[in-house]
Amino acid sequence: MTIAPPAPKPPNPASWLNNQPYLLLSLSSLFWAGNIVLARHVGAHVPPLTVTTIRWFGVFLILLPFAWPHLKRDWPNLRKSLPLMLFLSLVGFAFNNAISYWAMQYTEALNALLIQSAGPLFVALWSLVLFGVRLTAAQLAGIGISLLGVLIIILRGDLAALASISFNRGDIMFASSLVAFGIYSAFIPRRPKIHQLSFLSFTTCCGATMLLPTAIWETWSGRVLQLDGVTLATLGYILIFPSTLAYLFFNRGVALIGPNRAAPFFHLVPVFGSAMAILLLGEKIQPFHLVGYLLVLAGVVIASRQGSAVKGSAVK
C-alpha cells in the first residue's frame, strides 16, 4: 500500500508579498501620497509635533507584540549598532516626519508634491557622498524621464508655469525633510542584520522618544490636540498606512534592490496624489495626466530594473 504524498501547502500571501520589491515600493508611495494630501487638509487642525510623536509611539505599540521575540533575539546586534540605530531614528523618523508635517502648515500641496519629486536625487546624492555608490546611465535616465512626467502632472502640462511658482519657508522645511530621508534611505542597506520588525519597532520607539520634548513644548505653547472625529480619523490613517505598512514595505524594498534602484519610486507619490484628486475630489482626467503617468512609469521601469544596478553594489 502506497502512502500518498502530503498535499502541498497553500502559498502564504505575506511571504509572497515580502519578496515583491516593486509592489512593496509602489504601495509605500501610494500610502505616502495619501499622507501628503491628508496633512495639507488637516494641517491647521492638528498640532504637527504632537501628532508625529503619537504616530511613532502608536506604531511601536502596534508592532511590539509581533516584534518582541525578534527584539530579544536581535538585541546583541542592536546594542552593537546603537549609534547607527539612533541616527536612523533621528533622520528617518523624528526629524523627517515632524518637519514635513510642520511644513504643510506653510506650503501648498502642489509645492510639496513638486519638492517630493526631487527625492530620488537626494537618495542618489547621499549614496554617492557617503558610500561612493554612483548612478548608472540607466538609473540617471530613468530618474530624468520620471521627473519630467512628474513635472507635467503637477504643472498640468505647462512646463513654463514652473517659473511662476514661488517658494516659502514651508517649502524649505519640506525640502529639509527629504534631505534627511535621503540619508536614511542611503543607510538602509547598511543597517544591522536584524529582522525588519526589530528594526522598525526600535527606530519608531527611539524617534518618538526624541520627539516627546517637542510635543510637550507644543502643548505648553497652546497647540492642544483635540480628540474629535477629524483627529481620530487622521490618526487612524497615519498609524496604519503611511507609518506601519509604508515603512515596512519601503525598508524591505530597499533591502531587496538597493537605494538607487528604489529611489525612482518616489516619483509615484505625485502620480498617486493626482490620481486621488481625480477619484476622490471629482477632478477630470486630462491628456497631460496620461502623458505624465506614462513617463513616470517608463522612468521607474528603466531605473529600477535589475540590469541598471552597478555591478557589485547589489544588496546581499
Side-chain angles (χ1 to χ4, degrees), residues 49-50 213-224:
L49 301 176
T50 303
T214 69
I216 295 172
W217 168 82
E218 188 174 55
T219 303
W220 179 78
S221 300
R223 293 294 310 275
V224 180

Side-chain angles (χ1 to χ4, degrees), residues 25-310:
L25 292 166
S26 298
L27 288 172
S28 296
S29 296
L30 173 63
F31 300 152
W32 283 330
N35 194 41
I36 290 178
V37 175
L38 181 64
R40 179 55 186 165
H41 180 67
V42 302
H45 184 79
V46 296
L49 301 176
T50 303
V51 165
T52 310
T53 305
I54 294 174
R55 173 184 185 179
W56 295 129
F57 271 132
V59 172
F60 169 68
L61 293 176
I62 290 172
L63 293 177
L64 186 58
F66 309 99
W68 182 246
H70 305 292
L71 280 169
K72 289 194 295 184
R73 186 194 63 213
D74 293 332
W75 177 245
N77 286 335
L78 282 168
R79 188 171 53 192
K80 278 192 268 186
S81 304
L82 190 58
L84 174 60
M85 294 295 293
L86 292 175
F87 178 71
L88 292 176
S89 301
L90 174 65
V91 295
F93 296 87
F95 178 82
N96 164 48
N97 288 271
I99 203 71
S100 62
Y101 275 115
W102 200 354
M104 293 309 296
Q105 297 188 1
Y106 303 105
T107 189
E108 299 293 330
L110 173 67
N111 285 29
L113 289 170
L114 182 61
I115 297 168
Q116 179 80 38
S117 68
L121 302 180
F122 287 117
V123 176
L125 174 64
W126 286 116
S127 295
L128 174 62
V129 170
L130 296 172
F131 305 112
V133 178
R134 299 173 182 269
L135 285 172
T136 65
Q139 290 170 345
L140 186 59
I143 289 175
I145 292 170
S146 59
L147 179 58
L148 177 61
V150 167
L151 293 177
I152 288 174
I153 294 169
I154 293 175
L155 302 176
R156 306 183 70 82
D158 182 12
L159 295 181
L162 187 63
S164 64
I165 293 180
S166 58
F167 295 96
N168 57 30
R169 63 173 174 169
D171 302 318
I172 297 173
M173 293 164 66
F174 196 86
S176 70
S177 74
L178 284 182
V179 172
F181 198 75
I183 298 173
Y184 172 85
S185 302
F187 270 99
I188 282 295
R190 290 157 179 84
R191 72 184 193 184
K193 303 298 182 184
I194 58 177
H195 195 276
Q196 62 174 339
L197 287 177
S198 299
F199 177 82
L200 190 56
S201 59
F202 185 89
T203 48
T204 52
C205 182
C206 291
T209 304
M210 294 173 183
L211 285 168
L212 185 58
T214 69
I216 295 172
W217 168 82
E218 188 174 55
T219 303
W220 179 78
S221 300
R223 293 294 310 275
V224 180
L225 186 71
Q226 303 294 328
L227 291 179
D228 52 21
V230 173
T231 300
L232 293 176
T234 299
L235 288 174
Y237 175 82
I238 289 173
L239 285 174
I240 296 171
F241 294 101
S243 303
T244 304
L245 294 180
Y247 272 81
L248 281 172
F249 292 175
F250 178 80
N251 290 344
R252 178 60 178 168
V254 172
L256 288 172
I257 66 174
N260 279 347
R261 289 173 62 198
F265 283 84
F266 282 122
H267 284 162
L268 292 178
V269 172
V271 170
F272 287 134
S274 65
M276 287 177 185
I278 293 169
L279 294 174
L280 302 178
L281 304 179
E283 293 188 8
K284 294 183 178 180
I285 191 166
Q286 301 290 341
F288 65 81
H289 286 118
L290 299 177
V291 173
Y293 294 161
L294 289 174
L295 286 172
V296 170
L297 182 59
V300 169
V301 170
I302 291 170
S304 61
R305 62 190 176 89
Q306 187 172 2
S308 72
V310 178

